[in-house]
């Protein structure tokens, strides 16, 4: 996932308007799921102009979490599917050790 850039079409425009409206009233922090190097420099500048803080986080795979990592050698491709359905999506945002 990347930032809503360029902000003049479809869902990007809607997200841009929402970010700008929130930034008028509050300090807005943004979480971008992806590496900073993979985001266009213009998009980084765009987010920096609206948000007080921009955080880049690489999405995590459920099969790296305990106990799902134990299932992986035995279940192969099905382990990720089970982990995705049973595990919490909030685990995607946890910090790597």
């Amino acid at each position: 996932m990347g930032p809503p850039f360029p902000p003049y079409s479809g869902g990007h425009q809607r997200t841009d308007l929402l970010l700008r409206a929130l930034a008028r009233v509050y300090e807005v922090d943004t979480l971008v799921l992806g590496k900073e190097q993979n985001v266009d420099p213009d998009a980084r500048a765009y987010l920096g102009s609206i948000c007080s803080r921009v955080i880049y986080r690489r999405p995590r795979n459920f099969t790296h979490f305990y106990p799902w990592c134990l299932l992986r050698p035995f279940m192969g491709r099905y382990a990720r599917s089970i982990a995705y359905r049973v595990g919490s999506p909030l685990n995607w945002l946890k910090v790597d050790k």
Side-chain angles (χ1 to χ4, degrees):
M1 275 185 185
F5 187 82
Y8 51 77
S9 66
H12 289 177
Q13 184 178 27
R14 186 173 37 255
T15 304
D16 172 64
L17 292 172
L18 180 61
L19 278 175
R20 289 184 186 280
L22 287 170
R24 281 190 214 123
V25 181
Y26 305 103
E27 283 189 18
V28 177
D29 295 340
T30 301
L31 173 67
V32 177
L33 295 177
K35 293 182 179 180
E36 186 173 2
Q37 300 85 358
N38 295 345
V39 177
D40 185 306
D42 292 334
R44 277 187 267 157
Y46 156 78
L47 282 176
S49 70
I50 297 172
C51 304
S52 59
R53 188 168 66 148
V54 180
I55 302 163
Y56 296 88
R57 173 79 51 177
R58 187 180 53 143
R60 297 184 72 193
N61 188 334
F62 273 123
T63 55
H64 293 122
F65 297 115
Y66 182 81
W68 310 118
C69 60
L70 300 175
L71 292 175
R72 212 167 153 191
F74 303 106
M75 299 184 70
R77 65 181 181 176
Y78 298 110
R80 184 178 192 286
S81 178
I82 291 169
Y84 180 80
R85 286 173 177 77
V86 178
S88 169
L90 294 176
N91 287 330
W92 289 349
L93 306 178
K94 285 187 179 176
V95 178
D96 290 332
K97 293 182 180 178

